[in-house]
Amino acid sequence: MAQANPHRKPIDELTGFEVLENFEPFDQRNDIYCRSQWDPEVMSDKAEAFFRGYFMPNARSRRTDGFSQRDYALRNAAWHVTNVLRDINRQQTGRKEGFFDHFTSHEEGWPEPYVFDSPEQASADIRKVAKLCGADLFGVCAYDERWMYSGIFDERAMASKPLDIPTDLPHVIVVGESMDVDLTKTVPSALSGSATGLGYSYDSLTLLTLAQYIRNLGYRAYATMNDSSLGIPLAVQAGFGEVGRHSLLITEEYGPRLRLGRIFTDIPLVHSQPKKFGVKEFCDICDRCATGCPPKAIPFTPPSTEVYNRSNLIGVAKWTVDAEKCFRFWANQNTDCSICIRVCPFNRDYSKWYHRWWRKLAGTSLRRFALWLDDRLVDRGRHKSAWWWQRNQGR
Ligand code: SF4
Ligand code: SF4
């Protein structure tokens, strides 16, 4: 009799994840940003200059539109709060919080857990506080060891070290911070990187405040951002949306413009339900991100188990981006890229009724018509940095 696949879980029926027998948890050391510090395959002068450029006066501004001192000034300021929190313990302990290590800037909480009437009441309270703290999206899923890093990156040793989040915390709170839709229209540019930086900075504030609130209620809470786990699978399990061809999360509320944070906790909570609204079927007939990606890092082919290099997750059938090609492009242009976000038909301002109508259409068998409408009616070309600076000024 065939052995059951030990990596499959009932939740996969709802998310559509295809986790295979050869699945291996991901070691953060193999993340492309970590590799740029230790792997000669990825290290380069340009990569080093790329990271240095996030701090003035190393930004290497130039006359090209979107890469002026004004643009870098905003981008680097947008990252500032995240960087302060990231470095708070770095010199003393080597911890790079929010990126390699979970946040530890917390006060002592309450010794006894506050008793809620029910997990439903606790969930409603936590959701309300998360929104108050700035979360645009909120969801909860079960702890899932498959998406935890098998090791986290130790910058001092340039090696893996053990994950230090307890494994007996049953719930994961996922929060999402949206990125400015207008800034994503100026991609690629240093200016557009401000959307990413601000997403992280808002995320840090939300995560630290919410985790402290949970600790003050007398429960355990570990706030994490890019560290400790893969964010997208947990966000899908927490009901945020689906994964697109560009390997990014696509949500009903903000399309692909979202930064994610997670809190691992034991406060009693109700889990959210995974949500599908036709993204997979739409991506099957669309290739705008693959076509628009300058280094051709996004596949045109159906989801597969193909891995390009050690930065890819092994044993999950999905659309996988060639992270080496992608990062090389970032380093060459001296800022992060998000062309795949800019050109994605789901990248819309859903506060407008006609974009919500389009999303509904895209989720039906008329998806080819929806794609045709996007091609004809939406300007997905790069907008000049001056367009963004002048837009709505003086309002
Ligand atoms: S970020 Fe840019 S280079 Fe990377 S996959 Fe997207 S479009 Fe391609
Ligand atoms: S651009 Fe098209 S194929 Fe790519 S993620 Fe968006 S909808 Fe899917």
Side-chain angles (χ1 to χ4, degrees), residues 243-248 250 256 279-280 282-290 298 319 340-341 343-347 358 371:
V243 183
R245 182 183 292 279
H246 46 30
S247 252
L248 301 171
I250 296 184
V279 170
K280 160 79 176 57
F282 193 92
C283 290
D284 283 340
I285 58 131
C286 174
D287 63 5
R288 302 304 181 265
C289 53
I298 300 172
W319 282 302
C340 46
I341 291 181
V343 301
C344 180
F346 282 101
N347 182 24
W358 180 91
L371 182 57

Side-chain angles (χ1 to χ4, degrees), residues 4-205:
N5 176 354
H7 304 299
R8 291 256 334 141
K9 290 197 174 195
I11 186 92
D12 300 344
E13 296 301 322
L14 302 175
T15 59
F17 289 161
E18 275 188 70
V19 185
L20 308 172
E21 283 196 359
N22 66 337
F23 171 79
E24 291 177 17
F26 190 72
D27 186 334
Q28 191 187 22
R29 178 175 181 267
N30 291 326
D31 178 279
I32 196 73
Y33 309 107
C34 302
R35 287 177 65 202
S36 72
Q37 293 190 43
W38 65 264
D39 186 349
E41 293 282 320
V42 183
M43 290 161 80
S44 69
D45 291 345
K46 280 190 176 162
E48 213 180 296
F50 164 83
F51 287 115
R52 260 205 324 271
Y54 279 81
F55 300 92
M56 298 299 205
N58 310 312
R60 295 193 299 155
S61 63
R62 48 194 191 270
R63 280 166 184 251
T64 318
D65 176 78
F67 294 87
S68 71
Q69 183 188 346
R70 171 166 78 157
D71 300 312
Y72 277 108
L74 178 55
R75 185 200 69 174
N76 291 3
W79 280 92
H80 179 65
V81 170
T82 311
N83 289 342
V84 168
L85 291 167
R86 178 196 70 180
D87 292 346
I88 218 157
N89 290 308
R90 196 169 174 187
Q91 207 164 7
Q92 274 186 331
T93 63
R95 293 178 70 84
K96 201 170 167 182
E97 299 191 356
F99 290 88
F100 302 153
D101 302 274
H102 67 80
F103 289 108
T104 56
S105 298
H106 287 296
E107 291 167 12
E108 202 181 335
W110 196 260
E112 295 295 325
Y114 175 85
V115 181
F116 285 93
D117 289 344
S118 64
E120 284 77 12
Q121 192 214 336
S123 299
D125 277 19
I126 297 290
R127 171 185 287 273
K128 187 173 175 69
V129 173
K131 296 268 176 174
L132 177 75
C133 299
D136 290 315
L137 290 184
F138 171 92
V140 182
C141 65
Y143 178 87
D144 191 329
E145 70 288 348
R146 298 176 299 177
W147 315 126
M148 303 306 290
Y149 288 145
S150 59
I152 51 175
F153 189 56
D154 182 338
E155 196 180 38
R156 285 184 175 171
M158 290 288 158
S160 289
K161 65 181 178 185
L163 188 64
D164 55 354
I165 303 246
T167 55
D168 63 340
L169 299 168
H171 312 298
V172 187
I173 295 169
V174 185
V175 294
E177 301 290 344
S178 64
M179 298 192 292
D180 185 83
V181 66
D182 285 345
L183 280 171
T184 62
K185 292 178 181 167
T186 71
V187 167
S189 65
L191 174 67
S192 65
S194 312
T196 315
L198 275 178
Y200 278 119
S201 291
Y202 289 137
D203 221 6
S204 310
L205 172 74

